[in-house]
Amino acid sequence: MLELLANHTCYGGAQRIYKHESKVIGLPMRFAVYLPPQAVQGANAAAVKVPALFYLAGLTCTEETFPIKAGAQRFAAQHGIALIAPDTSPRGAGIPGESAAWDFGVGAGFYVDATEEPWSKHFRMYSYVRDELRETVLANLPVDGDRLGIFGHSMGGHGALMLALRNPQIYRSVSAFAPIAAPSISPWGEKAFGGYLGQDRAAWKAYDASELVANASHKFAEGILIDQGLSDQFLSEQLYPDVFEAACHAAGQPLMLRRHVGYDHGYYFISSFIEDHIAHHAEVLLA
């Protein structure tokens, strides 16, 4: 059962926030939805099922960060594509210290299924995004389940690349802004993976995009699009796009890695190139 928390008209469509009881997470979860005009029933036409992009946000963000800051609705409306943006972690689990750090715990789920206590009971963001959220959207909203793409930023860029590479039968297109592209060697990734998955680094490979693309049997023939700012304060220590680029090259995976002088890690950067990302996905999903 979906609970509608907010509904705003936006570029002829509807920007909404929903809440539901998640069985996978075991807690209430929120997600944002933008439905373009084609998917919103009006006086003169019935709503139709549209393609959708799942957007995964980064550390400290919520389901509202992307719809408020990215400016994506204008371009989603033009192409007739829905946008789905979940929260970045469970909230209210009551785990001691869950909010003690900005890069682990609340707001920092890293889109993995935790195997370590006490996180394993609720921090199951991989299964939530891939299965429950997708199935909830398809059951309740005018979205075409055969035309789905995924993208994200930073921690969410890691999540988008990883989910797409592991599930090409679900996600037909993928892109990322400044992703944590090799989390097994990133301090953020090492902290998160160690805490959620334990110290066996072999288990981390299942959630590391650079490891996954190196061994992927499926290729995204239209290419993976990544935008990276060269003034990003986290570029050298945390993100490692060059590692992912080398892995794509060795595996024969087409990659468009665009490096931009002067841009940093934030949403001014994302809003500058969001039109290109929507168009990249539209070329695949509307073909």
Side-chain angles (χ1 to χ4, degrees):
M1 178 71 70
L2 287 183
E3 179 183 354
L4 180 64
L5 300 180
N7 184 27
H8 307 280
T9 300
C10 184
Y11 291 102
Q15 180 64 59
R16 299 172 180 171
I17 302 292
Y18 287 103
K19 178 182 177 182
H20 71 125
E21 294 293 330
S22 168
K23 295 180 180 179
V24 169
I25 300 296
L27 293 165
M29 291 292 290
R30 298 187 181 204
F31 62 94
V33 174
Y34 176 70
L35 293 176
Q38 298 89 330
V40 178
Q41 187 170 0
N44 299 318
V48 298
K49 287 192 174 183
V50 295
L53 295 178
F54 288 81
Y55 177 88
L56 306 183
L59 291 165
T60 76
C61 294
T62 73
E63 74 284 351
E64 291 191 284
T65 308
F66 175 73
I68 290 173
K69 292 185 174 183
Q73 294 94 335
R74 175 188 301 179
F75 309 111
Q78 290 173 2
H79 290 286
I81 293 177
L83 303 171
I84 318 295
D87 202 351
T88 49
S89 78
R91 298 179 190 269
I95 298 171
E98 66 181 3
S99 300
W102 66 276
D103 57 354
F104 185 80
V106 171
F110 267 81
Y111 305 102
V112 304
D113 282 352
T115 56
E116 295 293 296
E117 295 292 343
W119 308 99
S120 57
K121 182 178 180 181
H122 297 294
F123 278 66
R124 305 186 64 234
M125 290 298 293
Y126 175 82
S127 291
Y128 174 72
V129 172
R130 187 192 67 178
D131 299 326
E132 187 176 28
L133 176 62
R134 176 175 58 91
E135 291 164 3
T136 298
V137 166
L138 296 182
N140 292 279
L141 297 169
V143 167
D144 183 350
D146 292 325
R147 294 187 291 167
L148 303 178
I150 191 166
F151 66 148
H153 168 233
S154 193
M155 175 185 72
H158 137 73
L161 293 173
M162 175 268 295
L163 274 152
L165 289 165
R166 287 182 61 168
N167 302 282
Q169 77 283 5
I170 295 175
Y171 306 106
R172 292 176 52 188
S173 58
V174 57
S175 70
F177 295 94
I180 306 172
S184 294
I185 59 173
S186 160
W188 279 339
E190 289 179 317
K191 180 177 182 178
F193 286 3
Y196 294 135
L197 305 174
Q199 296 306 312
D200 180 4
R201 286 179 172 259
W204 300 5
K205 293 181 179 181
Y207 295 103
D208 187 313
S210 293
E211 295 283 350
L212 290 167
V213 78
N215 299 292
S217 57
H218 174 87
K219 301 292 187 292
F220 289 88
E222 296 83 0
I224 296 171
L225 172 62
I226 292 178
D227 278 308
Q228 175 63 61
L230 293 181
S231 292
D232 189 319
Q233 62 270 41
F234 303 115
L235 175 56
S236 61
E237 184 179 7
Q238 300 283 9
L239 304 182
Y240 294 100
D242 52 322
V243 174
F244 186 74
E245 182 179 41
C248 285
H249 178 74
Q253 168 59 59
L255 172 69
M256 296 158 284
L257 174 54
R258 309 191 305 183
R259 297 172 170 90
H260 303 279
V261 174
Y263 287 90
D264 61 20
H265 197 69
Y267 271 81
Y268 294 114
F269 160 60
I270 292 172
S271 64
S272 298
F273 300 104
I274 189 67
E275 180 178 9
D276 294 347
H277 282 249
I278 301 294
H280 167 76
H281 290 276
E283 185 175 351
V284 178
L285 301 181
L286 298 175

